[in-house]
Amino acid sequence: MRGIGSIEGCAPSIEHFVPQQYLAPDGSFDAARVAALGIPRELLMKLYRGMLLIRIIDERMLTLQRQGRISFYGEARGQEAAVVGTAAALGKSDYVLPALREAGAALYRGLPLRTYISQIYGNENDLTKGRQMPCHPGSRDARYVTMSSCIATQLPHAVGMAMAAKLRHDPVVIAGYMGDGATSEGDFHVALNFAAVYRAPVVLVCQNNQWAISTPVAGQTASPTIAHKALGYGIPALRVDGNDVLACYAAMRDAVAFARAGGGPIFLEALTYRVSAHSTSDDPSRYRDESVTAVWKSERDPLCRFRHFLRVIGALSDGVDSALHEAIEAEIKSAVVAEEAARPPALATLIEDVFATPTEALREQLAEVAAALPAHPHS
Ligand SMILES: Cc1ncc(C[n+]2csc(CCOP(=O)(O)OP(=O)(O)O)c2C)c(N)n1
Ligand SMILES: [Mg+2]
């Protein structure tokens, strides 16, 4: 999109929906246009680190899952630009309600790596006490609400939180993320309608990675773009190349400013591709042409594109890049060693957090479990 000014108050025509892009897939860019974005070099490097961190964590976690050391994992490979670019435009006191693939946003917002990995192991250090599937981190400190596995349920929550903020005159913005598949859910429509009517300060971000497990986006909707759905509800929409981190950041920055200034909800569609399997329980070669995936994985890779840009502008040398890789690898390795060695959550946590005082029935059941597990080291 050409900016908020061109969309405010009226639906743009379809030609406005050519995705905004600053870095072409081949790495070329218009230096003046990029400079006009005014992104400081320090932030550029932070974006790069955030993207690289996701890429390396995903590789490590996939290996751990294949070795049987963790039970499940869902990669965000190929979507690092959309995750980090959008997250970076939010303020510290804003909130994130994620969908499936935004854990990198939690890390970017300060979730400690060990805490993230403890959640994947579901051990005693896990903030959610092993009660969630792996890859469902949540953090009060990072203002990152635990992901809900039920597709799109986070969207009415995001809008509700935004309404609460509005009623309290709290200038926070809520970012509600979703995948393309989520836009067919009733919750999506409920959330958008309510947000539009009551002008909730929410930025709705769709990572359109073109697949919802085995359903391609063409089988998901007859809408020409996902962004059109927002227009139908009277919500202005932006569309970006989701593999261009600068485009994602710039659009999200505009969107957040729009929502914070009282403009109401705004929608951002980031066009990307799920180059990985849906999760470690999936085999995409059974339902899609993986030669298409190969193109996205190589020529359209968001990390390579951004790395090329950073090299051309002189912000990243081979030495700095490999030092960064090594530092991230070492950080992940020590987090895995520590969290793999950590104990499971104490047995009593099974009945905590439901009632202020656990009921007699729950206490009896706990005793029964404890008796059946005499060797359990934490009962
Ligand atoms: C309400 C609901 N229906 C179905 C599922 C099973 N399911 C899990 S992920 C998924 C696809 C989600 O696709 P999308 O929203 O595009 O996100 P992506 O996985 O591509 O990031 C489905 C159907 C679910 N978790 N919740
Ligand atoms: Mg999808």
Side-chain angles (χ1 to χ4, degrees):
M1 290 297 303
R2 284 162 201 157
I4 303 300
S6 63
I7 49 167
E8 201 169 357
C10 66
S13 57
I14 195 160
E15 67 269 19
H16 284 96
F17 272 168
V18 175
Q20 184 71 272
Q21 184 186 77
Y22 289 88
L23 304 177
D26 67 1
S28 59
F29 60 93
D30 177 332
R33 269 185 83 226
V34 170
L37 291 174
I39 306 177
R41 198 166 272 216
E42 195 190 346
L43 179 54
L44 292 174
M45 292 309 292
K46 218 177 147 203
L47 293 171
Y48 182 66
R49 192 189 187 283
M51 291 170 68
L52 187 61
L53 179 64
I54 300 176
R55 177 67 54 95
I56 299 177
I57 289 179
D58 279 1
E59 283 166 0
R60 287 292 295 136
M61 294 302 120
L62 193 62
T63 306
L64 291 184
Q65 198 278 340
R66 295 306 188 224
Q67 291 171 343
R69 290 159 67 185
I70 60 172
S71 57
F72 172 88
Y73 195 72
E75 293 178 83
R77 190 183 178 93
Q79 298 180 220
E80 297 91 344
V83 174
V84 174
T86 54
L90 290 162
K92 206 170 164 45
S93 47
D94 297 333
Y95 286 88
V96 174
L97 277 93
L100 292 86
R101 306 193 194 273
E102 287 81 22
L107 294 165
Y108 189 90
R109 292 176 62 78
L111 176 71
L113 189 60
R114 270 193 64 174
T115 312
Y116 176 57
I117 292 183
S118 72
Q119 199 282 323
I120 293 170
Y121 278 94
N123 64 25
E124 64 178 346
N125 300 327
D126 173 14
L127 299 175
T128 46
K129 305 177 187 176
R131 290 175 190 166
Q132 270 283 11
M133 279 179 75
C135 295
H136 288 54
S139 161
R140 199 184 288 264
D141 290 344
R143 297 204 164 190
Y144 184 93
V145 177
T146 306
M147 170 201 147
S148 159
S149 279
C150 307
I151 300 300
T153 50
Q154 73 280 8
L155 300 175
H157 300 162
V159 173
M161 284 174 70
M163 282 307 295
K166 182 175 173 160
L167 293 171
R168 290 158 68 168
H169 303 288
D170 182 349
V172 298
V173 165
I174 315 298
Y177 285 84
M178 74 205 83
D180 43 294
T183 69
S184 298
E185 287 286 346
D187 277 339
F188 167 86
H189 299 279
V190 166
L192 266 70
N193 190 57
F194 195 97
V197 171
Y198 293 99
R199 296 173 73 84
V202 63
V203 181
L204 298 154
V205 183
C206 178
Q207 284 205 63
N208 179 358
N209 65 7
Q210 305 186 45
W211 289 90
I213 311 186
S214 54
T215 304
V217 74
Q220 191 69 250
T221 180
S223 185
T225 73
I226 301 284
H228 276 76
K229 298 194 186 194
L231 298 181
Y233 285 104
I235 296 178
L238 305 155
R239 212 161 171 253
V240 294
D241 178 338
N243 285 17
D244 171 356
V245 70
L246 299 185
C248 292
Y249 174 75
M252 188 71 173
R253 189 172 62 178
D254 285 348
V256 170
F258 178 84
R260 206 180 314 279
I266 182 159
F267 193 90
L268 171 59
E269 177 183 0
L271 262 179
T272 179
Y273 196 86
R274 198 199 75 212
V275 298
S276 61
H278 172 73
S279 72
T280 47
S281 315
D282 176 44
D283 174 6
S285 68
R286 309 238 341 228
Y287 55 79
R288 71 180 182 185
D289 178 355
E290 291 293 52
S291 66
V292 175
T293 309
V295 173
W296 283 89
K297 218 170 175 169
S298 52
E299 291 162 32
R300 300 192 189 161
D301 182 77
L303 196 59
C304 293
R305 194 186 303 192
F306 193 40
R307 182 182 292 131
H308 176 84
F309 165 76
L310 293 175
R311 287 204 167 135
V312 170
I313 65 163
L316 186 70
S317 63
D318 283 351
V320 170
D321 201 13
S322 48
L324 195 54
H325 268 81
E326 277 166 30
I328 291 174
E329 298 268 14
E331 201 187 336
I332 296 172
K333 194 171 177 187
S334 83
V336 168
V337 167
E339 296 308 329
E340 201 160 51
R343 304 184 317 170
L347 201 55
T349 60
L350 273 175
I351 63 163
E352 289 171 354
D353 305 329
V354 181
F355 297 99
T357 309
T359 61
E360 188 51 39
L362 281 175
R363 284 202 299 269
E364 274 173 19
Q365 285 170 26
L366 180 67
E368 214 175 301
V369 175
L373 297 170
H376 192 288
H378 316 300
S379 50

